[in-house]
Amino acid sequence: MKFPRSGVLALALLFLGAGSALSCTNFIAGKEATVDGSVMVTYTCDGEFHPHLGIIPAADHEPGAMQEIKHWDGTVQGQIPYPAHTYQVINLMNDHQVVIAETTTVGRDELVNPQGMLHYWQLMRLTLQRASTAREAVEVMGRLVGEYGYRSSGESFAIGDPDEAWIVEMVGPGPGGQGAHWVAQRVPDDCVSAFANMGRMGEIPWNDKKNCLHSEGIAEFAHSHGWYDPADGPFNWRLAFFPHAPDRMRYTAARVWSLFRRCAPSREWPADYHRGDPEAAPYPLWIKPDRKLTTADVFGLMRDHFEGTDYDMTRGVDAGPYGHPYRWRPMNFTVDGQNYTWERPISTQQTGFSMVTQSRSWLPDPVGGLTWYGVDDSWFTCYVPLYCGIDRVPESFATGSMDRFSWDSAWWVFNFVSNFAGLKYSHMNADIQAVQNELEGHLLDLQPAVEKTAAALAKDDPELMTAYLTDYSVQHAEDVVRKWKALGEHLITRYNDGYVKDADGRVQEKGYPESWLRAVLQQRPDQFKLPTNEQGSVNEPADY
């Protein structure tokens, strides 16, 4: 399934377009799992699309006012009543610090209901406009699909607020069915969770009303279709609706494994499950990290190509001479009748945008809710702060299309750098990481002072607080884009035509590493060999 070729709707969450984002990665950290007490939710929204960042303002509505539900192409699918008040939504966070992210889990194709009104991205937007807490968001989601029907395939949602984080997994009822089947579990405050295009819930704690919410009749529905037999033991959500598919484990579970191995390296995390062993134990739904995480730590978690493991994508002949960690689509291929697949990392060139959010109980909502937002591949992006109390967004993040390159579009600026870096990744990566670390480090250093000032203004002059946060967010985001453009210009100057200029601007010849040269010579041992002269030395050609 493909995304639309350009941003069609103003809100970036409707970026999800024509189909589902079958490549997204989510990570959740409870408030006792982070250094500063933030509830954190991350999201890489992966697919072929150009995101447009936008705002849906808060609004009051007259009795009987109706909200149109449109498909990504503008087709009206139906209407639902507006509540008396809807909350402001910026990207995927509302003005109560509630955030929702997602990852498509697919599940059983026969459960998709074409007659349902609400796709998952519509459900996210509608919920953010209506819910003031994460728990309420779960309840609103359940009510909306119960009344208007669910149209998408299987989906996992990550939901956070200043106090709690929840995971919701949802599947449809099948063609013509009613509502949806869903389960929500609260992530323990001292734990982290990760999920990526796979159903993760196992046995459901039906009687834990505080930490588990769910639709009615789930086990009975599964039993009626032959997907669950009570004689086999307790109902297992994952086994019933997401049957094990070894060929998908590489694509999905490997990302969960990599996040967990980095959060809790003290524990042994076997690879057998994500390598497709049907007898292997699934990874737990959540774990306690070895230490509490900083915001910078979480930025780092979203940047991963399995470095330092047996699956390190910067190594091997498939990484080319310069250790480039990306593999061009399609991921699956066949040689001599044998099927293969490339590894699927968290960082991928197909990312449209990613985010790391913070929801914080000790700050006023407009200050406490913060989205660190980045476009293009998470490895090459630079996260910029967008507070949920701002009233406009940076123009460069809200413009452009995939049909035409533009320096005015942040997405194209970041794509220029990441695509050009592929020519000599092992050399250029250091230049890029240096600028990234400097910019993100500066913004993280500014954060306490900015928030102290904004929190004080929230008490004395809320309008001035909004202007202050907006100016700060917009100006620094645009400054990052300008500096990233300058980085791109630096790279194409320093690495022009395959050379590498040193600090003094002198051209250096940086050829291929010996390991890669040996791989070439192994395939063609004689083609590049030079003859020897009568004295036994090599005749060296001129080097132009």
Side-chain angles (χ1 to χ4, degrees):
M1 287 183 276
K2 297 277 189 180
F3 285 96
R5 296 294 300 181
S6 62
V8 186
L9 299 172
L11 182 64
L13 92 90
L14 297 186
F15 44 78
L16 302 172
S20 59
L22 295 177
S23 312
C24 302
T25 306
N26 295 156
F27 178 79
I28 291 174
K31 62 184 179 181
E32 293 177 14
T34 61
V35 169
D36 72 347
S38 297
V39 172
M40 302 186 75
V41 173
T42 79
Y43 182 27
T44 65
C45 188
D46 305 335
E48 187 187 6
F49 74 109
H50 186 305
H52 279 191
L53 183 64
I55 295 180
I56 297 179
D60 295 318
H61 306 279
E62 297 293 333
M66 302 296 288
Q67 187 170 9
E68 284 191 337
I69 307 302
K70 294 183 179 180
H71 194 50
W72 67 269
D73 62 1
T75 304
V76 176
Q77 295 170 239
Q79 293 183 327
I80 69 172
Y82 270 113
H85 180 79
T86 50
Y87 303 125
Q88 174 170 286
V89 180
I90 299 176
N91 191 45
L92 292 165
M93 179 179 278
N94 72 17
D95 52 16
H96 285 268
Q97 307 190 55
V98 177
V99 60
I100 304 178
E102 61 78 33
T103 180
T104 299
T105 50
V106 184
R108 297 183 180 275
D109 291 339
E110 58 266 45
L111 292 181
V112 176
N113 180 17
Q115 289 76 44
M117 184 188 297
L118 301 178
H119 281 294
Y120 72 88
W121 64 85
Q122 296 159 337
L123 184 60
M124 293 163 71
R125 177 193 63 175
L126 297 171
T127 299
L128 286 168
Q129 289 182 291
R130 289 161 171 78
S132 60
T133 68
R135 186 183 185 96
E136 185 183 11
V138 175
E139 296 168 342
V140 168
M141 279 185 159
R143 183 172 69 250
L144 287 172
V145 295
E147 293 181 17
Y148 303 104
Y150 179 64
R151 192 174 183 133
S152 295
S153 63
E155 204 74 27
S156 290
F157 302 96
I159 306 178
D161 70 16
D163 294 305
E164 298 182 350
W166 289 74
I167 301 170
V168 181
E169 295 200 341
M170 183 175 292
V171 297
Q178 299 296 312
H181 302 283
W182 57 271
V183 176
Q185 293 193 64
R186 181 183 174 185
V187 179
D189 291 340
D190 61 350
C191 287
V192 300
S193 183
F195 32 109
N197 306 125
M198 60 182 296
R200 297 271 282 116
M201 293 191 189
E203 294 183 13
I204 306 302
W206 302 112
N207 296 322
D208 186 358
K209 304 301 183 184
K210 180 180 179 181
N211 299 302
C212 180
L213 302 172
H214 56 84
S215 59
E216 298 300 322
I218 298 173
E220 294 80 2
F221 176 80
H223 178 57
S224 70
H225 284 76
W227 302 328
Y228 165 60
D229 186 345
D232 294 334
F235 174 76
N236 186 298
W237 169 272
R238 182 181 60 254
L239 296 181
F241 296 121
F242 302 93
H244 187 88
D247 59 331
R248 279 186 54 80
M249 290 298 102
R250 301 267 189 102
Y251 186 84
T252 60
R255 284 173 274 161
V256 173
W257 170 82
S258 201
L259 286 165
F260 280 4
R261 73 175 177 88
R262 294 175 65 191
C263 287
S266 64
R267 296 175 59 176
E268 181 179 349
W269 296 103
D272 51 358
Y273 184 67
H274 76 78
R275 301 320 280 179
D277 182 352
E279 302 301 320
Y283 304 123
L285 185 57
W286 47 66
I287 64 167
K288 187 173 181 178
D290 284 356
R291 60 178 178 81
K292 294 186 177 184
L293 303 173
T294 66
T295 304
D297 289 334
V298 180
F299 288 175
L301 289 174
M302 304 315 293
R303 293 168 171 147
D304 186 80
H305 310 110
F306 306 112
E307 282 86 354
T309 75
D310 292 341
Y311 316 106
D312 190 335
M313 297 177 69
T314 66
R315 302 187 313 193
V317 67
D318 48 311
Y322 304 115
H324 193 228
Y326 298 122
R327 308 295 179 265
W328 310 130
R329 270 38 179 180
M331 288 187 60
N332 300 329
F333 56 98
T334 302
V335 176
D336 296 332
Q338 174 63 50
N339 294 325
Y340 300 88
T341 186
W342 301 118
E343 304 296 345
R344 199 317 191 170
I346 295 167
S347 293
T348 174
Q349 67 274 17
Q350 268 73 43
T351 299
F353 78 88
S354 61
M355 69 183 193
V356 174
T357 67
Q358 294 180 263
S359 299
R360 295 165 293 175
S361 61
W362 63 94
L363 289 167
D365 283 335
V367 187
L370 176 59
T371 296
W372 294 91
Y373 183 81
V375 289
D376 193 34
D377 173 11
S378 60
W379 186 270
F380 289 109
T381 201
C382 183
Y383 289 113
V384 299
L386 302 173
Y387 287 89
C388 73
I390 64 178
D391 59 11
R392 59 187 171 90
V393 298
E395 179 63 27
S396 65
F397 289 89
T399 189
S401 77
M402 290 188 69
D403 299 323
R404 183 177 180 180
F405 178 87
S406 171
W407 283 121
D408 296 328
S409 163
W411 187 85
W412 275 116
V413 170
F414 279 87
N415 268 272
F416 179 86
V417 169
S418 60
N419 278 269
F420 187 72
L423 296 177
K424 229 175 180 87
Y425 176 84
S426 59
H427 292 276
M428 294 190 217
N429 184 50
D431 291 11
I432 296 167
Q433 299 295 303
V435 176
Q436 182 188 73
N437 291 337
E438 178 184 354
L439 293 175
E440 289 182 347
H442 178 62
L443 291 169
L444 288 167
D445 287 343
L446 287 176
Q447 187 180 1
V450 169
E451 292 172 356
K452 182 179 180 179
T453 301
L457 289 172
K459 298 177 181 178
D460 301 328
D461 194 337
E463 290 186 3
L464 184 57
M465 176 207 64
T466 298
Y468 172 73
L469 286 177
T470 301
D471 288 347
Y472 173 79
S473 296
V474 170
Q475 290 177 14
H476 281 78
E478 298 292 16
D479 183 56
V480 164
V481 175
R482 285 191 294 271
K483 290 177 178 176
W484 217 257
K485 179 183 176 183
L487 171 62
E489 294 168 345
H490 164 76
L491 293 175
I492 200 169
T493 302
R494 186 180 185 197
Y495 297 96
N496 188 46
D497 289 339
Y499 294 109
V500 179
K501 291 181 181 178
D502 64 18
D504 297 320
R506 292 187 295 263
V507 170
Q508 307 291 314
E509 294 181 345
K510 301 289 186 181
Y512 301 103
E514 184 174 326
S515 59
W516 192 79
L517 292 173
R518 290 185 180 279
V520 171
L521 295 177
Q522 186 175 9
Q523 295 183 22
R524 293 185 283 177
D526 298 320
Q527 178 176 341
F528 307 107
K529 186 182 295 184
L530 288 172
T532 57
N533 59 28
E534 294 179 358
Q535 287 74 36
S537 60
V538 174
N539 289 319
E540 295 187 3
D543 187 2
Y544 296 107

